[in-house]
Amino acid sequence: MGVVTRGAIMSSNNKKSNGKEDSYSGLCSHFEANKRSKEYVAHQSKVHSVGWSCDGSRLASGSFDKSVTIWSLESDRLGRDGNYKVHTGSVDQLRWHPSKPEVLVTASGDKTIRVWDTRAGKPTSTVTTKGENINICWSPDGHTIAVGNKEDLLTFIDARTLKTKHEELFKYEVNEISWNRPGDKFFLTNGNGCVVILSWPEFKHLHTINAHPANCICIEFDKSGKYYATGSADALTSLWDVSELVCLRTFSRLDWPVRTLSFSHDSQMIASASEDLFIDIAHVQTGQKVHQITTQAPTFTVAWHPKKHLLVYACDDKDKHDRDTGGIWLFGLPNTTY
């Protein structure tokens, strides 16, 4: 067997470093040629949540105006399928089924969640909950829906029977919630700056990570399952190793609390947004800025397409009469239009 020399090790490390740099420069070049955004009128008031179906064929947006709008993606253009006002309260968060591209769930302040068949353009089921709902997510196998309300009660609902499987009331502020990719652990961020990790389905406490010195607002897992990111009121986005539970790096270009995060489909980029008048797109491996999207108002929600370098976002925009515009933006379009 050959001897590995110090020079060979350095050469190998340089190749890895160059690989990261090549990835970074390639992404920067891509967005220099594809940095156009297009606005679509989606609602009559603020858009609180946007999300892509698992196959990327559809987009959904939920609004303070109590409605849900479903869109179809045709090449690099969104077509509006319909706007549906079935909730009687603000639609604060929505999530698509992890493997069924037609199934959507919405969480509302009207104390219900609704499960949708978007092919029919309507909910197929309504589940009444105990409070005003603000957070919702699917387990990776699609068998369980977790919903959190303003009183920090988490309810776990069997997606097939729509019966409650488990409830847990917390003594601290619960913000965003998510399963890890294998689905054997449940993560939540809280008002104490922590990430709390629980086993699933046993729901036993495993770890509490002091992630930030201020309120830990949002959490997002990348598609590979290697990383998760947290956003905090300290204006930092932190990248974490899932297996080691250590912080790998932070992204610090924002000045206001980080409200929303999204990893690109290839796990190369993370978009972070806040009350700053821009969205930061960072290179995951180096932390460098890939691109910055200028906005006219604070950003509520961002979502990368599951297969393309297209990002949808929604801001607190007003028209000239100081009314909410209810628009969404699609970023990543070619600079030249024909």
Side-chain angles (χ1 to χ4, degrees):
M1 193 166 86
V3 177
V4 179
T5 65
R6 182 172 181 269
I9 293 171
M10 291 177 65
S11 174
S12 173
N13 288 339
N14 285 337
K15 286 178 183 176
K16 290 178 182 177
S17 176
N18 290 339
K20 291 179 183 179
E21 287 301 319
D22 289 346
S23 164
Y24 170 70
S25 61
L27 292 168
C28 291
S29 297
H30 172 79
F31 288 116
E32 276 304 306
N34 299 272
K35 59 184 177 184
R36 186 169 59 90
S37 293
K38 179 175 173 56
E39 185 180 16
Y40 295 85
V41 177
H43 299 271
Q44 295 177 339
S45 191
K46 299 175 186 177
V47 176
H48 284 176
S49 185
V50 293
W52 295 97
S53 61
C54 61
D55 65 354
S57 65
R58 287 188 177 92
L59 177 83
S61 54
S63 169
F64 182 75
D65 71 3
K66 308 173 186 177
S67 75
V68 175
T69 300
I70 307 297
W71 309 79
S72 293
L73 181 68
E74 301 151 9
S75 184
D76 291 338
R77 188 183 301 256
L78 288 172
R80 181 164 158 157
D81 294 348
N83 176 262
Y84 309 100
K85 204 164 189 175
V86 298
H87 282 287
T88 58
S90 172
V91 180
D92 286 328
Q93 200 167 59
L94 55 82
R95 291 287 184 265
W96 291 88
H97 191 282
S99 58
K100 295 178 180 178
E102 71 280 1
V103 178
L104 174 74
V105 66
T106 52
S108 172
D110 65 7
K111 300 185 179 181
T112 70
I113 68 166
R114 315 240 174 174
V115 182
W116 297 66
D117 182 339
T118 55
R119 296 168 300 186
K122 63 182 181 181
T124 55
S125 305
T126 299
V127 180
T128 301
T129 59
K130 293 183 177 179
E132 297 178 43
N133 303 307
I134 54 174
N135 287 312
I136 199 161
C137 65
W138 293 90
S139 61
D141 59 13
H143 293 165
T144 308
I145 301 167
V147 58
N149 68 25
K150 288 184 177 179
E151 286 74 46
D152 305 309
L153 174 72
L154 290 186
T155 302
F156 295 83
I157 298 163
D158 187 307
R160 292 161 291 191
T161 65
L162 301 179
K163 303 295 184 184
T164 297
K165 298 165 72 169
H166 181 73
E167 285 184 343
E168 193 83 16
L169 181 64
F170 291 85
K171 295 180 180 179
Y172 47 73
E173 177 184 320
V174 175
N175 294 318
E176 272 203 331
I177 54 179
S178 179
W179 273 272
N180 63 347
R181 291 294 171 189
D184 62 342
K185 296 182 181 67
F186 189 81
F187 286 61
L188 61 90
T189 58
N190 74 19
N192 302 323
C194 298
V195 175
V196 178
I197 307 173
L198 305 152
S199 63
W200 180 260
E202 302 82 11
F203 217 72
K204 301 297 183 185
H205 179 269
L206 298 176
H207 304 282
T208 296
I209 300 169
N210 294 311
H212 294 268
N215 190 348
C216 194
I217 298 169
C218 45
I219 186 167
E220 174 88 359
F221 283 81
D222 85 314
K223 306 304 183 286
S224 73
K226 294 179 182 178
Y227 309 114
Y228 70 89
T230 54
S232 169
D234 63 10
L236 291 177
T237 297
S238 299
L239 181 74
W240 298 79
D241 181 287
V242 169
S243 58
E244 300 294 331
L245 299 180
V246 295
C247 182
L248 300 174
R249 63 188 55 86
T250 58
F251 309 93
S252 57
R253 284 178 287 273
L254 298 171
D255 291 323
W256 290 86
V258 181
R259 293 180 177 185
T260 177
L261 302 168
S262 183
F263 279 99
S264 60
H265 68 91
D266 51 14
S267 303
Q268 291 193 81
M269 295 176 290
I270 185 165
S272 308
S274 65
E275 292 178 53
D276 292 270
L277 300 183
F278 65 89
I279 298 167
D280 181 65
I281 299 178
H283 189 233
V284 169
Q285 291 298 323
T286 65
Q288 294 171 278
K289 181 177 75 175
V290 173
H291 193 76
Q292 184 173 291
I293 305 170
T294 301
T295 64
Q296 302 300 314
T299 302
F300 284 114
T301 177
V302 297
W304 282 108
H305 188 275
K307 296 179 180 179
K308 301 180 179 183
H309 286 158
L310 294 173
L311 184 78
V312 166
Y313 60 94
C315 302
D316 188 14
D317 287 318
K318 308 281 185 182
D319 65 15
K320 63 182 179 180
H321 303 293
D322 202 37
R323 295 176 300 207
D324 295 332
T325 62
I328 61 172
W329 294 81
L330 180 64
F331 164 78
L333 304 174
N335 298 345
T336 305
T337 57
Y338 298 97

